Amino acid sequence: MTARRILMAEAVLLGGAFLALLVKELPGAVREVRIWRMSGFHAGARHPR
């Protein structure tokens, strides 16, 4: 029973750390996407010859 509690506590800690990192990095990622859109880059775009 205690092993299961320890695993659950570790999972909660890892999930919280991941969520905190995501929240911290999200504004930078949004900024990058805006820059890509302004520069005309989108997935599957062909480069001019």
Side-chain angles (χ1 to χ4, degrees):
M1 195 62 130
T2 37
R4 179 175 266 172
R5 280 186 170 178
I6 291 171
L7 284 175
M8 288 298 291
E10 286 179 353
V12 167
L13 282 173
L14 284 174
F18 178 75
L19 191 61
L21 184 66
L22 183 67
V23 167
K24 182 182 174 192
E25 295 296 326
L26 193 60
V30 170
R31 191 177 312 120
E32 289 288 333
V33 169
R34 286 182 181 167
I35 291 170
W36 286 348
R37 285 185 181 169
M38 284 190 291
S39 68
F41 173 81
H42 18 199
R46 284 201 245 158
H47 296 289
R49 294 185 194 185

